Amino acid sequence: MVQTINLQVNTDLTASSEVLSWFEQINQPPIPEPEIWWKCQTLLIEGFTNIVEHAHKNLPPETLVEIEAIRSSQEIQIRIWSQGQFFDLEKKLQETCEFEENEQERGRGLRIMSAIADKLSYERTADNRYCLFISKNVSRGGFT
């Protein structure tokens, strides 16, 4: 069984609680391992925060952030589409120190996402937007 949910919110960090509440739908039935669910929530909110603070930094607050979450028995996939400037995720991850050694606040979220996601990418889409793709394996605790 595959479950897909979609959401559009304005470019506004105050929408974070709405985003997390919306995401709860995908956790039905609940993933048996709470740590995996916590990691999925962390990936979603870190991704959303990065889009709002960086990709949409110079865009009006009315600019929509589109989010899609897909849950299968093997994984949860999260896609967050942005309309901002290109960002070389791989290059930034290479430039950012390990989070244990990172004294700066910036860049830590990307490191955390990279450490807990099974797949992480940021690529241009056919409609000239960018898609932050995040995948987390849940197969140990898929649908029951």
Side-chain angles (χ1 to χ4, degrees), residues 98-111:
E98 294 294 329
F99 48 82
E100 292 90 2
E101 302 169 7
N102 190 345
E103 298 293 324
Q104 303 170 335
E105 288 189 26
R106 293 290 168 220
R108 289 179 134 182
L110 291 177
R111 269 285 164 208

Side-chain angles (χ1 to χ4, degrees), residues 47-143:
F48 175 73
T49 300
N50 272 291
I51 295 300
V52 170
E53 288 186 340
H54 302 290
H56 285 188
K57 168 172 67 175
N58 298 318
L59 298 176
E62 305 80 42
T63 305
L64 292 177
V65 177
E66 293 183 46
I67 309 170
E68 176 182 75
I70 301 172
R71 179 178 173 183
S72 70
S73 59
Q74 290 84 33
E75 67 183 348
I76 289 182
Q77 295 180 357
I78 300 166
R79 288 177 176 82
I80 306 174
W81 286 275
S82 71
Q83 300 175 39
Q85 298 296 313
F86 175 72
F87 173 74
D88 189 337
L89 177 64
E90 292 300 319
K91 182 178 177 186
K92 188 65 175 176
L93 284 170
Q94 290 172 359
E95 291 172 355
T96 306
C97 300
E98 294 294 329
F99 48 82
E100 292 90 2
E101 302 169 7
N102 190 345
E103 298 293 324
Q104 303 170 335
E105 288 189 26
R106 293 290 168 220
R108 289 179 134 182
L110 291 177
R111 269 285 164 208
I112 291 168
M113 290 173 66
S114 177
I116 63 176
D118 293 309
K119 296 176 190 167
L120 181 65
S121 65
Y122 188 68
E123 297 177 357
R124 180 184 286 272
T125 60
D127 60 359
N128 289 322
R129 296 185 299 167
Y130 293 94
C131 180
L132 177 62
F133 174 78
I134 306 161
S135 176
K136 182 67 185 160
N137 187 332
V138 296
S139 61
R140 289 179 287 159
F143 287 126

